[in-house]
Amino acid sequence: MDQFSATDAALAGFRAAREKPRAVAVWAGIMAILSFIVAIFAVSTFGDKLTALTTAVEGDPDPQTTLAAMSGLWPLFVGSMLYVLVTNSVLMAAVNRLILRPQDGAGAYLRLGGDELRQAAVQVLLYLVLFGAYFVGVVIVALLGTIGGAIGGAGLGVLLGLLSGVALLAGLVLLSVRLSFVSTLAFDTRRIDLRASWDMTRGRFWQLFGTYLIATVLAVVVYLLLFVMIAAVGAIAGMATGGGLAAAGDALHGEATTLAELFSVSGVVRSLLSGLMSVLVSLIVFAPAPTIYAQLKGRDVGETFG
């Protein structure tokens, strides 16, 4: 099969949530618990530094002050990146498993094994490829801007810099789309093959780009709706337990920086519902690629969503 349904692929995450609600509920529950545990560790270990950073960002926009407040948080940043890498790897493998191996539903499609390790390797590899392309592109943009300025003055330099910057952005989007099957290929074939993804996406850029763009917009909409819902539920819960109008402000405050904020009613509600938010957004973003891959391979996606 050489064609795929862009609409079906863009909505694959929603269909997965509708057809496999128990699996998605398990994912959300696990993510909520993990997020809460990580938040407790972060606040108990780096709470004072997080408070200082929040104060610096909100009260003093000076970059030096902000950097000074961030200086003691690098272990938290590194740990957060590793946490995101691990959780994304498990979720990406689970989404691929749900769509490509719907019969393998034991444990809500969650595993810790070779598939997950390959997903982690794929994420690191794609990051390095995209960062390398970005670095080279930035150097070229700077050179073109400098050359244009030397030849035709500041106006030409700015114009060349702007045009080459747009070209760099377009190139990164092109590269991301053309390599969008690497994760699914690694899961399905157990091989990390950039060339195979490049070949499978040849001649399909605009259709793929449109599909991913729709899925991204839908993910943003869901994120915003859930954010409002989390804030509202947290505020209502806080006010119901005697928090007064201040509870509404706490619910909209963002991330907790003290244990008292974290263990408040609004803090607990926000942490629990954030698990659902992260899973749904990840599902919407991750599901299109394996769905398109399955359609191109002539597999019956209806076995998954039927």
Side-chain angles (χ1 to χ4, degrees), residues 85-164:
L85 176 65
V86 172
T87 54
N88 275 352
S89 299
V90 174
L91 283 176
M92 289 171 71
V95 172
N96 278 288
R97 188 174 291 113
L98 184 153
I99 294 173
L100 299 178
R101 304 176 194 166
Q103 72 284 355
D104 192 10
Y109 298 96
L110 296 174
R111 307 284 190 280
L112 284 174
D115 290 330
E116 288 69 26
L117 287 175
R118 277 184 289 273
Q119 293 303 313
V122 164
Q123 290 183 76
V124 173
L125 177 60
L126 290 179
Y127 172 81
L128 292 176
V129 169
L130 290 172
F131 179 79
Y134 171 78
F135 180 80
V136 172
V138 168
V139 172
I140 294 174
V141 169
L143 287 176
L144 289 177
T146 302
I147 293 173
I151 295 176
L156 180 60
V158 171
L159 178 61
L160 285 178
L162 178 62
L163 292 176
S164 55

